[in-house]
Amino acid sequence: FSIEEVEVAPPKAKEVRIKITATGLCGTEIKMLENQMQYPIILGHEGAGIVESVGEGVSTVKAGDKVITLFLPQCGECASCLNSEDNYCIQLKQSHTSLMTDGTSRFTCKGKPIYHFANTSTFSEYTVIREISVAKIDAMAPLEKVCLISCGFSTGYGAAINTAKVTSGSTCAVFGLGGVGLSVVMGCKAAGAARIIGVDINKDKFEKAKQVGATECISPQDFKKPIQDVLVEMTGAGVEFCFEVIGNPEMVAAALASCHESHGVCVIVGLIDYGVQLNINGYLFFSGRSLKGSVFGGWKSRENVSKLVSDYMAKKFNLDPLITHTMNL
């Protein structure tokens, strides 16, 4: 990474130029660096800011509005957007994620074009984003905190609330206690789970996990037997809801095997690299377990993000525990 001065072009039709006030660092960024991307590129997809200007035909936001950037758009017209149970907008796949819709970039540095990332590129003082990837939020919201609703918090919290549909009084296990994993814990607690077991090899994360709702935490390194066997013994029959929030294929198999054999639900929240195959014993499905994927916590992005910000303003959840460092460019 290097800090450079860039030129950010005005927004074209159906585009918005935003002054980014705050942006989070998501683990996905680190994973993406390991994949083959087009360089040079401005990363960042977890941001909040203020609209500086809008292009022709933009009707949902105006200059001065506080907004959150969305790596997952909501066009409102495709089959996914029109399905009440779906949030995977077709525009995510059909767009040039390294360039704008017209196949060009809005960034230049030293006269050369710079690639966009995830239709957001929030590691920049100013960025240009399509209108369908911008959500207007409460004018009083603290952007340095609600920027986490742009990805990490929403992804974890929603995986528990929307994807798994955690039930009151249930037992849950969360593999991986980073920012997204902690948000899963918060979602399980909000849903009324009676027992929330955090699983991580880094014990330094246990105190924070308990602070946001974990009832107990364990490290796989403390046991000689597989972690799924430990969890089944701890709970008697396996957990009812399990979340893999690492993106490790082996941990997905362990998380699924940790589930209750007849009605356990396992949700993959962590990003697994493209093309990686899962090695799972098919017999695990014979009794009724289910394995589910989740993107952005199942939220319809433009529709639900503003509501989540309102919930934060109403003190329905606290984002402070998720913020460990605050740095300037």
Side-chain angles (χ1 to χ4, degrees):
F1 286 109
S2 64
I3 296 174
E4 305 284 350
E5 188 166 299
V6 298
E7 264 189 48
V8 185
K12 293 186 179 181
K14 295 289 185 178
E15 295 176 358
V16 181
R17 188 161 62 182
I18 299 166
K19 181 173 185 177
I20 296 292
T21 303
T23 181
L25 175 61
C26 179
T28 300
E29 242 91 39
I30 309 303
K31 284 206 167 189
M32 286 298 179
L33 285 173
E34 298 166 0
N35 294 331
Q36 288 187 330
M37 287 197 302
Q38 294 172 297
Y39 294 97
I41 189 168
I42 296 174
L43 292 182
H45 68 277
E46 193 176 71
I50 298 167
V51 174
E52 179 271 338
S53 58
V54 300
E56 184 184 345
V58 171
S59 60
T60 57
V61 294
K62 63 184 187 304
D65 284 347
K66 281 188 176 181
V67 293
I68 279 179
T69 63
L70 305 168
F71 73 89
L72 177 65
Q74 185 182 353
C75 72
E77 299 171 353
C78 69
S80 295
C81 286
L82 295 174
N83 185 327
S84 62
E85 298 298 314
D86 195 346
N87 74 326
Y88 196 78
C89 178
I90 197 72
Q91 288 290 331
L92 182 67
K93 292 185 287 187
Q94 291 187 338
S95 60
H96 300 276
T97 52
S98 297
L99 295 167
M100 297 303 286
T101 308
D102 65 356
T104 65
S105 171
R106 300 294 170 267
F107 298 118
T108 52
C109 181
K110 298 170 184 170
K112 295 183 179 179
I114 307 294
Y115 287 107
H116 292 248
F117 174 70
N119 290 304
T120 48
S121 290
T122 59
F123 292 174
S124 171
E125 278 186 284
Y126 289 88
T127 190
V128 176
I129 301 177
R130 292 182 300 163
E131 182 183 16
I132 59 171
S133 296
V134 176
K136 181 180 176 180
I137 60 169
D138 189 322
M140 300 305 291
L143 297 177
E144 73 281 2
K145 295 185 179 180
V146 299
C147 68
L148 297 179
I149 293 174
S150 176
C151 177
F153 172 76
S154 304
T155 295
Y157 191 74
I161 302 285
N162 301 322
T163 311
K165 294 181 168 56
V166 169
T167 54
S168 179
S170 61
T171 299
C172 303
V174 181
F175 284 66
L177 298 173
V180 180
L182 293 176
S183 301
V184 173
V185 171
M186 293 164 72
C188 292
K189 183 181 180 183
R195 194 174 180 189
I196 305 169
I197 306 166
V199 182
D200 203 298
I201 56 174
N202 183 353
K203 293 184 179 180
D204 293 342
K205 297 179 179 180
F206 290 178
E207 184 182 346
K208 180 72 68 75
K210 289 177 180 176
Q211 180 187 337
V212 299
T215 54
E216 58 217 287
C217 295
I218 56 175
S219 168
Q221 295 177 337
D222 287 345
F223 304 93
K224 291 181 179 177
K225 62 179 71 172
I227 192 64
Q228 56 264 40
D229 294 348
V230 175
L231 285 165
V232 170
E233 281 184 15
M234 285 175 68
T235 57
V239 298
E240 288 155 289
F241 300 96
C242 195
F243 303 86
E244 200 282 351
V245 204
I246 307 162
N248 181 325
E250 293 178 4
M251 286 298 100
V252 171
L256 180 66
S258 304
C259 286
H260 192 285
E261 62 182 2
S262 66
H263 59 267
V265 176
C266 180
V267 179
I268 302 174
V269 187
L271 179 69
I272 298 173
D273 288 337
Y274 182 79
V276 171
Q277 302 296 310
L278 297 178
N279 185 9
I280 294 173
N281 183 344
Y283 192 77
L284 289 174
F285 294 102
F286 179 66
S287 54
R289 290 180 182 88
S290 60
L291 179 63
K292 304 179 76 172
S294 180
V295 62
F296 197 58
W299 304 106
K300 286 186 180 291
S301 56
R302 299 192 80 200
E303 192 176 313
N304 290 128
V305 158
S306 57
K307 294 175 184 174
L308 284 169
V309 171
S310 297
D311 284 349
Y312 168 77
M313 298 298 285
K315 295 184 167 57
K316 292 186 179 179
F317 52 80
N318 182 16
L319 295 171
D320 289 356
L322 303 178
I323 301 170
T324 56
H325 300 73
T326 302
M327 296 169 282
N328 294 321
L329 269 177

